[in-house]
Amino acid sequence: MIHTVHATHIGNVRSVNEDLSWVGRIKPGGYTLGIVADGMGGHLAGDTASRLTVETIVADLGGLEAGLSPEACGAALSDAILHANEVVHRQGESDIRYHNMGTTVVAVLLSGTEGVIAHIGDSRAYKITAEGIERLTDDHTLVNELLKSGQISAKEAGSHPRRNVLTRALGTDAEVKVDLDRLALASGEALILCSDGLSNFVAESEMLRTVLKSGEALEDRAHKLIRMALNSGGDDNITVALFENGRAGQDAATKEWVQ
C-alpha cells in the first residue's frame, strides 16, 4: 500500500512560489502519479510553466487504462511530459510575457509498488531503503557535466557560481529528451521527489535519517524536510513529495501542505 504526501513552501527569500507538485490516484487504472515541477523565467512565467506542465501531465494520464506493462507506463508518462513541453513552449513563443519560460519536472507513475521515474532538469528522485539513499536521477546541469567530465571536483560543484544553469529544461525548446528509469518499492521503502530548493540545502544523509523515522507520520517527515531547508537558508522555493510502501492494514492517504 503506497502512502503519499506532498508539501511546498515559498522559502525565506522569494516573493513567488514557482514550484508546483501534484500527487494522486488515477482512476480507473488505479495508478499513483506524482509530479514536482520547478518553474523558471521570473514572475508570471515560472509559475505558469510549472502549472501548465502539471495540468497537462495530469490531464493526459487521467484516463490511463489498467493493467499496462512497465514499458507502456513509461511510454505514457514520457508522452505526457513531451506534450507538456509542446504546451509550455507554444505559450512562451506566443506571448512576450512568457518568453523563454521553462520548468524542470520529475514524475513517478506507479502501478502498485512498481513503476517508472521520468525527469528533465535538476529536480530529483531519491529511493530510501534501510541500506541507504540512492539518487535515481542525473541532474541536467552545466555543473554536473563539468563534474562528470572531471573538470571540477564534487566540492567545487557545490559552490560553483553557475550551479543553477540547466542544460535541459521543459518548455525552453521545441524538442526535449525525457530520461526514464524503472522503480520498485519493497515494504518499508520510500521515494522522494523534490525541487532543488530541498536538495541544495538538505544533505542526502539528513534526508535518509528523516524519512527512515517510520514511527513518525509521513506528513510530519515531509514538513521536517521543509523546515530543514528553511533553517539552512531557504533562499529558493522548496517542494517535496514522499511515497512510502507502508505496512499491510494501513490506509493509504494523499495529503498536501502548502505555505
Side-chain angles (χ1 to χ4, degrees):
M1 183 71 73
I2 299 296
H3 306 266
T4 67
V5 63
H6 55 126
T8 189
H9 195 288
I10 196 171
N12 293 326
V13 176
R14 301 293 180 89
S15 60
V16 176
N17 193 343
E18 296 178 304
D19 285 3
L20 188 64
S21 62
W22 190 96
V23 175
R25 315 292 179 189
I26 297 177
K27 298 179 181 180
Y31 302 95
T32 299
L33 173 64
I35 310 165
V36 169
D38 178 357
M40 59 188 190
H43 184 60
L44 292 180
D47 51 329
T48 297
S50 58
R51 176 181 56 80
L52 290 173
T53 295
V54 170
E55 289 177 351
T56 302
I57 295 171
V58 172
D60 282 7
L61 298 178
L64 204 60
E65 62 185 275
L68 293 179
S69 68
E71 292 77 15
C73 286
L77 181 56
S78 178
D79 286 347
I81 291 173
L82 291 175
H83 182 205
N85 186 74
E86 294 175 9
V87 171
V88 173
H89 185 259
R90 184 168 59 245
Q91 183 70 27
E93 291 289 295
S94 63
D95 191 326
I96 189 63
R97 294 177 301 169
Y98 306 124
H99 179 66
N100 207 36
M101 71 175 172
T103 184
T104 70
V105 65
V106 60
V108 62
L109 182 63
L110 292 170
S111 177
T113 60
E114 298 185 6
V116 62
I117 296 284
H119 90 286
I120 299 171
D122 63 354
S123 291
R124 294 179 178 176
Y126 295 92
K127 184 177 179 179
I128 302 290
T129 72
E131 286 71 41
I133 181 169
E134 177 187 4
R135 191 191 304 178
L136 303 178
T137 52
D138 191 36
D139 291 348
H140 301 140
T141 62
L142 173 62
V143 164
N144 193 40
E145 292 300 320
L146 295 174
L147 180 63
K148 290 192 295 183
S149 65
Q151 297 181 60
I152 61 173
S153 66
K155 183 178 181 180
E156 290 171 326
S159 58
H160 197 281
R162 302 190 69 190
R163 63 186 178 276
N164 293 324
V165 175
L166 297 177
T167 56
R168 195 189 310 177
L170 186 152
T172 55
D173 297 292
E175 296 184 0
V176 70
K177 179 184 176 183
V178 181
D179 285 359
L180 293 172
D181 293 283
R182 293 279 295 274
L183 171 73
L185 293 176
S187 180
E189 294 183 345
L191 172 72
I192 301 174
L193 303 183
C194 67
S195 63
D196 65 345
L198 183 76
S199 58
N200 282 345
F201 292 94
V202 180
E204 293 180 3
S205 60
E206 292 298 322
M207 294 186 201
L208 174 65
R209 187 176 298 111
T210 300
V211 176
L212 277 182
K213 290 184 178 180
S214 56
E216 294 185 2
L218 194 63
E219 184 176 13
D220 292 337
R221 285 175 270 167
H223 294 177
K224 185 173 183 179
L225 289 172
I226 295 282
R227 289 194 297 271
M228 291 166 68
L230 290 169
N231 292 337
S232 296
D235 64 1
D236 199 355
N237 308 144
I238 310 157
T239 301
V240 60
L242 298 181
F243 306 76
E244 185 175 57
N245 186 354
R247 298 184 300 275
Q250 290 182 322
D251 292 330
T254 298
K255 297 182 179 180
E256 180 181 16
W257 179 64
V258 180
Q259 184 169 335

